Amino acid sequence: MAVYKVKVATGEVAGAGTKNSISITLVGSRGESQRTSIHFLFQAGIEKTVTVRCERDLGPIVLVRLHKWRLFLEDAWFCKDVRVSGPDGASYRFPCYQWLEGVTTVEVREGSAKKLVDDELEILQEHRHLELKARQEAFQWKTYAKGWPRCLNVDSVAELDSNVQFSCLRATNFTGILILQGASHFLSGFLLRPSSWKSLDEMRSIFSRIKGREIGGCLPCPPPTA
């Protein structure tokens, strides 16, 4: 009997938790486990631990499958990551950082930053192929008007998968930064300044206060390297 300790973490974003049923399957180089149920009531920012027992050692764990199904009402779940400890003491981490909606199964590979040429196992090659196919179907291009750059073949952002939509949280943060900086400029007497700048030093006096912080919601570009 091979015993695996699995920790499943829910993200800290708003509404990340779920009351739907979640289960997991471990996929190793020598086989895969039975589907193991994880307790209900996932809460944002909370980590749950489950024990997965297998008749034999699965070898290095290369994928985890997260299964979600609903009893009555749909309740999306945002999974942060999955960490697995094998019977030999080996540890594996599977970063997820995505929403699971409806009745679905999501496969997540280990966060080891492997390239295509590193996928020696057929199951990893197939996973990469299916992932690429899904993205090609999700992100198709269309021509909005002749001479214009091509754009996504959707009529609105609402048609996109929730994992690629511009989240309300990010929009709120972006707006908050603009309001904070606008207030800072206003209180410093620069936002409604009736006259021209007297010198570069006067301009630096305001912009030096936000040096190293986000400007307009974007990070400053790094200096070029040789």
Side-chain angles (χ1 to χ4, degrees):
M1 177 75 65
V3 178
Y4 295 84
K5 296 293 184 181
V6 181
K7 295 182 178 180
V8 181
T10 299
E12 298 179 357
V13 298
T18 184
K19 295 180 181 179
N20 288 175
S21 177
I22 305 295
S23 56
I24 190 170
T25 301
L26 305 182
V27 181
S29 60
R30 303 173 193 164
E32 60 184 64
S33 70
Q34 295 292 325
R35 182 185 296 193
T36 302
S37 178
I38 309 174
H39 297 296
F40 294 92
L41 297 176
F42 284 77
Q43 297 179 346
I46 300 299
E47 183 178 84
K48 286 185 175 290
T49 302
V50 63
T51 299
V52 177
R53 292 181 171 85
C54 305
E55 295 182 356
R56 61 190 180 90
D57 193 324
L58 302 177
I61 306 300
V62 295
L63 290 173
V64 295
R65 295 193 187 108
L66 295 169
H67 314 277
K68 175 181 174 295
W69 59 280
R70 59 178 180 263
L71 293 176
F72 301 105
L73 299 177
E74 163 59 14
D75 190 12
W77 174 52
F78 186 84
C79 177
K80 177 183 177 182
D81 63 13
V82 177
R83 283 172 287 164
V84 180
S85 296
D88 58 352
S91 297
Y92 310 90
R93 182 174 180 270
F94 299 85
C96 185
Y97 296 99
Q98 61 179 299
W99 290 97
L100 277 70
E101 298 177 322
V103 178
T104 186
T105 294
V106 173
E107 287 189 340
V108 183
R109 65 166 56 211
E110 187 189 4
S112 54
K114 291 184 178 180
K115 302 184 294 294
L116 175 62
V117 295
D118 300 322
D119 290 342
E120 299 179 355
L121 298 176
E122 183 177 349
I123 191 171
L124 290 179
Q125 296 172 3
E126 180 67 12
H127 174 265
R128 192 181 293 270
H129 171 73
L130 293 176
E131 186 178 51
L132 177 60
K133 182 179 178 181
R135 296 202 176 200
Q136 289 174 336
E137 293 175 352
F139 301 104
Q140 297 185 17
W141 298 99
K142 70 176 181 181
T143 301
Y144 178 75
K146 186 176 180 180
W148 285 51
R150 292 193 301 170
C151 60
L152 284 176
N153 189 20
V154 294
D155 294 326
S156 69
V157 175
E159 296 181 23
L160 296 172
D161 183 89
S162 59
N163 290 298
V164 296
Q165 291 184 24
F166 192 85
S167 70
C168 293
L169 180 62
R170 288 180 60 191
T172 301
N173 289 342
F174 182 80
T175 304
I177 289 172
L178 292 180
I179 293 174
L180 177 63
Q181 292 179 359
S184 175
H185 289 193
F186 179 79
L187 294 174
S188 301
F190 290 103
L191 189 62
L192 301 178
R193 183 184 181 90
S195 58
S196 302
W197 301 95
K198 296 180 180 179
S199 66
L200 289 176
D201 289 335
E202 191 179 32
M203 296 177 66
R204 293 191 186 99
S205 67
I206 177 61
F207 291 110
S208 63
R209 300 179 190 182
I210 55 175
K211 183 179 181 181
R213 296 172 54 188
E214 290 184 340
I215 301 178
C218 300
L219 291 174
C221 297
T225 57

